[in-house]
C-alpha cells in the first residue's frame, strides 16, 4: 500500500472518508449538545421556574443515562450490529432532543435528557467502532481517530460559543439545533455506513444478568459522582450509591467469570496500555471540565462577562480542532503516542499552574496562554489515548473498547465537575464577595492540577515500560502510552 513521505497512507477510498465525516459529525453533535445546554441553564430556570435541585437534575439525568448504559451500548454494537445501533439510536437522540425543546415542565426535561444520554451511550461506541473497523489498523486508522478525537474535543469548546448565540434567540434552540444536525447526519449515514464484513460474531446467547448488573453498577456510580457536587445533602446516600455500585461491579465480575457468553471478556483488562489509557482519559476530562466550570464561574459571576463573551474567551482552547488532524499525526508518527501524550499533559499542567495566580483585574491577554496550552493538551492527548485504547483489540470487541474509553471520558468529566464544585463550595463557606469567591476558585483549581499531574505520572510509567519492553518498527509507531 503506497505511503507518503510522511508515512501516512494516501490511497484512502473516498467512501471511507465519507464515513469518517459522518461519524465526526455525530461526535461533534454529542459534544456541542452537552456544552450548549450548560450555557442555557440560567435561561431555562428563569423561563420554567425550576428549582436549583431540578436544574441540577437536568444535567445529572444525561450523565446517568450516558454513564449507565455506555458499556452495554459498546457491547451491543459488537453483537447486534454497529450500523444498526448507530442509526437507531441517532433517531432516538434526534427525537428526544426535540422533546426537550418543547418542554413546559421540569420532568419533561429530565426525561428528555436521560433518554438522550442513553442514546448517546449506544451511538458513540458504535460510531467509534465503525471507524476502527472501516480503517485498517496502523497509521491510516490512527489518522482517522485523531481527526475524530479532535472533532469531539472541538464540539465541547465550540458548543459554549454556539450555545451562547442560540440562547440569545431563545433557550429552546439549544434543543432544536441538534435535531437539525442529527437529521443531516442521518440522511448522510444511511447510504454511507455499511456493516463491516466479518465484524459481527454470531449471537449465541445474551448475558442478561451481566447487562443488568453492569448497567445498575454504572448508574449507581454515576449517581454517586453527581452527588459529590452537593455535600450538604448528606453523605450517607452518596456513600451508599458508591457502595452499591461497587457491590454490583463485584457481582458483574462473578457473573462474567461463569458466563458461557460473557457481555465483557475480562481478559481485556489484562492489557496494561488499555488500562493506563482509560485512567488517563478519565483524568484528562476531569481536569478539563473542572477547569471549564471554574473559568466560567470566574468570568460570569466574578467578572460579569456575558455567556457569549465567556464562550469566545474559551474559543482559543478549541485550537485542537486544527491541531489534532494536522500536527498530532506527524508528532505521533515521529515520536510515538507515549511521548506525545506526556507532552500534552505537561502542557495542560502548565496551563492550570499559570492560572493559579489569577486576579480580578486580569486582562484576557493574561489568560490566553492557559487557553492555548489547554488546546495543545487536548490535541496531543485525546486522540492518541483513543488510539491506544482500541489498538490491538479484536474486531469483534471494538465496540466494547469504544464503550470503555468513552465511559472513562464521561465519568472523568462528571468526577471533575463534582470535585471542583465540592471544593469550591467548601472553600467559600459562608463568605461572600468577589475576593472570597476568587480565593475559593483558586483553591478548587488544585483539582485539575492534581488530576493532570497524576495522569502525567501514569504516562511516564507507561513510557518507561515501553522503552524497556518494545522497539518501534519501520511501519508502526509504538502504541503503549
Amino acid at each position: 500500500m503506497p505511503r507518503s513521505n510522511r508515512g501516512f497512507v494516501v490511497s484512502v477510498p473516498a467512501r471511507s472518508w465519507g464515513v469518517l465525516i459522518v461519524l465526526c459529525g455525530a461526535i461533534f453533535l454529542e459534544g456541542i449538545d452537552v456544552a450548549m445546554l450548560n450555557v442555557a441553564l440560567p435561561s431555562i430556570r428563569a423561563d420554567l421556574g425550576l428549582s436549583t435541585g431540578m436544574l441540577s437534575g437536568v444535567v445529572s439525568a444525561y450523565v446517568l443515562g450516558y454513564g449507565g448504559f455506555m458499556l452495554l451500548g459498546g457491547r451491543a454494537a459488537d453483537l447486534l450490529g454497529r450500523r444498526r445501533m448507530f442509526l437507531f439510536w441517532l433517531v432516538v437522540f434526534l427525537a428526544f432532543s426535540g422533546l426537550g425543546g418543547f418542554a413546559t415542565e421540569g420532568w419533561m426535561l429530565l426525561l428528555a435528557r436521560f433518554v438522550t444520554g442513553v442514546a448517546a451511550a449506544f451511538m458513540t461506541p458504535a460510531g467509534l467502532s465503525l471507524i476502527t473497523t472501516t480503517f485498517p489498523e496502523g497509521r491510516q486508522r490512527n489518522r482517522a481517530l485523531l481527526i475524530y478525537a479532535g472533532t469531539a474535543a472541538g464540539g465541547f469548546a465550540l458548543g459554549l460559543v454556539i450555545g451562547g448565540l442560540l440562547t440569545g434567540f431563545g433557550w429552546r434552540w439549544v434543543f432544536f439545533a441538534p435535531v437539525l444536525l442529527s437529521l443531516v447526519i442521518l440522511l448522510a449515514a444511511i447510504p454511507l455506513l455499511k456493516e463491516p464484513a466479518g465484524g459481527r460474531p454470531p449471537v449465541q446467547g445474551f448475558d442478561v444478568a451481566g447487562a443488568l448488573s453492569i448497567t445498575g453498577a454504572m448508574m449507581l456510580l454515576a449517581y454517586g459522582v453527581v452527588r459529590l457536587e452537593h455535600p450538604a445533602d448528606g453523605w450517607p446516600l452518596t456513600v451508599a450509591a458508591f457502595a452499591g455500585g461497587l457491590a454490583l461491579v463485584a457481582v458483574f465480575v462473578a457473573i462474567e467469570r461463569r458466563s458461557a457468553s460473557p457481555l465483557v471478556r475480562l481478559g481485556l483488562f489484562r492489557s496494561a496500555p488499555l488500562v493506563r489509557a482509560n485512567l488517563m482519559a478519565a483524568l484528562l476530562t476531569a481536569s478539563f471540565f473542572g477547569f471549564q466550570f471554574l473559568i466560567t464561574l470566574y468570568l460570569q459571576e466574578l467578572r460579569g462577562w456575558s455567556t457569549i463573551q465567556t464562550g469566545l474567551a474559551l474559543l482559543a482552547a478549541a485550537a485542537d480542532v486544527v491541531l489534532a488532524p494536522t500536527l498530532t499525526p506527524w508528532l505521533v508518527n515521529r515520536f510515538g503516542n507515549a511521548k506525545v501524550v506526556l507532552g500534552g499533559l505537561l502542557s495542560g499542567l502548565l496551563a492550570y499552574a499559570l492560572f493559579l495566580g489569577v486576579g480580578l483585574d486580569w486582562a484576557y491577554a493574561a489568560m490566553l496562554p492557559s487557553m492555548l496550552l489547554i488546546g495543545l493538551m487536548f490535541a496531543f492527548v485525546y486522540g492518541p489515548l483513543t488510539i491506544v485504547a482500541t489498538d490491538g483489540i479484536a474486531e469483534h470487541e471494538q465496540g466494547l473498547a469504544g464503550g470503555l474509553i468513552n465511559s472513562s471520558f464521561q465519568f472523568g468529566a462528571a468526577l471533575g465537575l463534582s470535585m471542583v464544585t465540592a471544593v469550591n463550595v467548601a472553600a467559600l463557606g459562608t463568605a461572600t464577595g468577589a475576593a472570597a469567591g476568587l480565593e475559593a476558585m483558586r483553591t478548587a483549581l488544585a483539582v485539575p492540577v492534581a488530576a493532570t499531574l497524576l495522569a502525567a505520572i501514569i504516562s511516564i510509567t507507561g513510557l518507561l515500560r515501553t522503552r524497556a519492553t518494545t522497539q518501534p518498527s519501520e511501519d508502526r509507531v509504538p502504541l503503549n502510552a
Side-chain angles (χ1 to χ4, degrees):
M1 187 176 291
R3 298 179 185 272
S4 70
N5 292 334
R6 294 185 179 182
F8 293 123
V9 177
V10 293
S11 57
V12 179
R15 182 186 156 274
S16 295
W17 288 114
V19 169
L20 180 61
I21 291 170
V22 166
L23 298 175
C24 282
I27 198 64
F28 181 81
L29 168 69
E30 197 272 328
I32 63 167
D33 177 78
V34 174
M36 287 194 304
L37 178 66
N38 290 338
V39 175
L41 288 175
S43 299
I44 294 172
R45 173 160 60 181
D47 189 29
L48 299 184
L50 302 182
S51 65
T52 301
M54 177 64 77
L55 198 68
S56 176
V58 170
V59 178
S60 302
Y62 184 89
V63 174
L64 290 174
Y66 197 111
F69 286 84
M70 178 62 76
L71 280 180
L72 179 59
R75 195 60 181 138
D78 291 330
L79 297 176
L80 304 178
R82 299 176 179 107
R83 179 181 184 272
R84 178 187 302 174
M85 287 292 98
F86 180 84
L87 293 178
F88 175 80
W89 289 103
L90 178 59
V91 172
V92 175
F93 190 100
L94 182 157
F96 278 85
S97 184
L99 175 64
F102 289 110
T104 56
E105 300 287 343
W107 69 266
M108 295 178 68
L109 280 177
L110 288 175
L111 175 64
R113 293 308 293 168
F114 177 77
V115 179
T116 303
V118 173
F122 281 84
M123 182 177 71
T124 303
L128 179 57
S129 61
L130 279 167
I131 290 177
T132 57
T133 52
T134 297
F135 292 86
E137 186 174 334
R139 291 171 181 168
Q140 191 179 125
R141 181 191 292 180
N142 291 353
R143 191 177 190 187
L145 287 174
L146 291 170
I147 294 172
Y148 179 78
T151 306
F156 289 120
L158 294 176
L160 294 172
V161 181
I162 298 170
L165 293 171
L166 290 176
T167 303
F169 293 101
W171 65 264
R172 296 183 188 276
W173 280 103
V174 169
F175 291 90
F176 293 149
V179 171
L180 299 176
L181 182 55
S182 299
L183 187 59
V184 172
I185 294 169
L186 179 64
L187 293 176
I190 290 173
L192 277 173
L193 298 184
K194 304 294 182 184
E195 193 66 41
R200 178 179 161 194
V203 180
Q204 299 176 341
F206 192 77
D207 183 10
V208 176
L212 291 175
S213 59
I214 193 58
T215 301
M218 298 290 279
M219 289 188 70
L220 282 173
L221 292 172
Y223 180 64
V225 167
V226 168
R227 281 193 56 82
L228 290 174
E229 298 180 27
H230 312 287
D233 291 348
W235 285 104
L237 185 56
T238 304
V239 173
F242 279 118
L246 293 174
L248 282 178
V249 168
V251 171
F252 171 73
V253 171
I255 291 171
E256 298 307 280
R257 283 177 173 172
R258 293 170 174 78
S259 175
S261 302
L263 184 74
V264 177
R265 183 176 61 84
L266 298 179
L268 197 67
F269 297 100
R270 296 193 186 102
S271 169
L274 180 142
V275 172
R276 286 195 297 270
N278 278 272
L279 288 174
M280 285 187 283
L283 292 166
L284 170 72
T285 51
S287 69
F288 174 76
F289 282 92
F291 177 78
Q292 185 186 78
F293 171 79
L294 292 174
I295 189 65
T296 301
L297 195 70
Y298 166 73
L299 292 176
Q300 293 189 20
E301 295 194 2
L302 301 182
R303 299 292 297 273
W305 289 25
S306 68
T307 55
I308 296 178
Q309 288 175 313
T310 301
L312 290 173
L314 291 169
L315 190 59
D320 62 293
V321 176
V322 176
L323 296 176
T326 55
L327 179 59
T328 306
W330 182 85
L331 290 174
V332 166
N333 181 57
R334 177 69 178 82
F335 299 105
N337 281 296
K339 291 179 181 178
V340 174
V341 167
L342 179 58
L345 291 171
L346 293 177
S347 297
L349 189 61
L350 178 59
Y352 301 138
L354 287 174
F355 222 85
L356 288 172
V358 65
L360 292 173
D361 57 349
W362 265 27
Y364 182 67
M367 309 176 208
L368 186 59
S370 289
M371 303 301 175
L372 293 174
L373 286 168
I374 288 171
L376 285 178
M377 176 182 71
F378 248 100
F380 296 165
V381 181
Y382 196 108
L385 286 182
T386 305
I387 294 172
V388 176
T390 55
D391 184 69
I393 304 299
E395 195 164 288
H396 67 273
E397 291 184 319
Q398 283 292 327
L400 174 59
L404 283 171
I405 191 66
N406 280 293
S407 293
S408 297
F409 283 133
Q410 181 66 26
F411 270 93
L415 184 61
L417 283 169
S418 297
M419 292 301 295
V420 297
T421 300
V423 173
N424 187 70
V425 169
L428 186 60
T430 58
T432 57
L438 180 64
E439 191 59 34
M441 191 200 79
R442 285 173 175 166
T443 303
L445 277 170
V447 174
V449 170
T452 311
L453 179 60
L454 181 56
I457 293 171
I458 295 173
S459 178
I460 291 171
T461 302
L463 181 59
L464 293 175
R465 185 179 295 251
T466 300
R467 284 181 173 177
T469 60
T470 64
Q471 289 291 333
S473 67
E474 289 184 8
D475 291 329
R476 292 185 58 196
V477 296
L479 296 177
N480 295 340

